[in-house]
Each structure stands twice: as structure tokens, then as C-alpha cells.
Amino acid sequence: QVQLVESGGGLVQAGGSLRLSCAASGRTSSSAAMAWFRQAPGKEREFVAAITWSDGSPYYADSVKGRFTMSRDNVKNTVYLQMNSLKPEDTADYYCAADVSGNVRDSGSYRYWGQGTQVTVSS
């Protein structure tokens, strides 16, 4: 079992920044990568970013590339999502995911999910 707890969401103006955190506990060694997904009201959950635990290789959705940065702290078993130049279209619930089996960009590849943290970007 892996438990994931997200934090750092909130309300920010367009152009602002937020940093999300996801602390993992339990059998984290079984997870080759962790990821962030987001889901806006009335929309499907979409991939945002992923990172491998071994070498920290990041993967980004085109919509956030150049604005978001995902990083990890292997000692703390925590991943972060630094979000800069936020846009109103970034408004969504952001979810952390772990224990991937397959395509890191596919939500169906992940076994464990956090409870989500809300990000609202005002225009």
C-alpha cells in the first residue's frame, strides 16, 4: 500500500505561482515513477507531469511545458510541482499518483492516488 497526501493548492491570480507537494508513505519502493494529473469541472482527468524516482527524468504535458517543473526528494519521499505563469485554464483539482505500470502519461497506469488539492487561478 502507498499513501499519498497532497498539499499546496489555493487561489492565485493569473501570472502567479504555486507549489504543490505530494508526500508518499508506505511501500514507495514499488513505484518507479510518480505523476500529477488534474481534472477541471466537467472535464476528464488529464496528465500534467511525471518523474522517475531513479534518475528524476521528467515528463510534461505540452500545455504546461516551460511553466511547470516537477521535482522529487528521495529522502523525504516527496514530489513537488512548481507552477509558474499560471493561467485561468490551469484551474482544476490536482491529483498525485504513484505505482505506475505502463505509460506514465496514462491515468489508468497508476494504482494509487491522493485525495487531490484544488487550484484556482483567477483572471
Side-chain angles (χ1 to χ4, degrees):
Q1 286 282 349
V2 175
Q3 294 78 42
L4 305 172
V5 178
E6 302 106 330
S7 60
L11 172 64
V12 65
Q13 288 188 332
S17 299
L18 282 175
R19 189 176 84 151
L20 305 183
S21 300
C22 176
S25 60
R27 296 185 61 182
T28 57
S29 61
S30 65
S31 183
M34 290 183 65
W36 288 96
F37 287 79
R38 67 186 181 187
Q39 187 166 18
K43 295 187 176 181
E44 294 186 353
R45 189 167 297 189
E46 65 173 358
F47 171 77
V48 176
I51 194 167
T52 58
W53 279 113
S54 58
D55 61 6
S57 296
Y59 302 82
Y60 297 103
D62 288 342
S63 59
V64 307
K65 200 172 294 183
R67 300 187 298 122
F68 291 11
T69 302
M70 187 170 182
S71 61
R72 89 240 191 268
D73 184 326
N74 292 43
V75 175
K76 295 182 178 179
N77 280 343
T78 300
V79 295
Y80 306 94
L81 185 68
Q82 178 66 43
M83 306 186 294
N84 298 329
S85 302
L86 282 161
K87 305 174 181 180
E89 50 264 45
D90 294 318
T91 295
D93 291 326
Y94 283 71
Y95 297 89
C96 179
D99 198 1
V100 64
S101 177
N103 189 340
V104 296
R105 299 173 183 269
D106 183 356
S107 62
S109 298
Y110 293 86
R111 183 175 182 185
Y112 299 106
W113 293 84
Q115 81 288 353
T117 185
Q118 189 173 54
V119 171
T120 303
V121 184
S122 63
S123 56

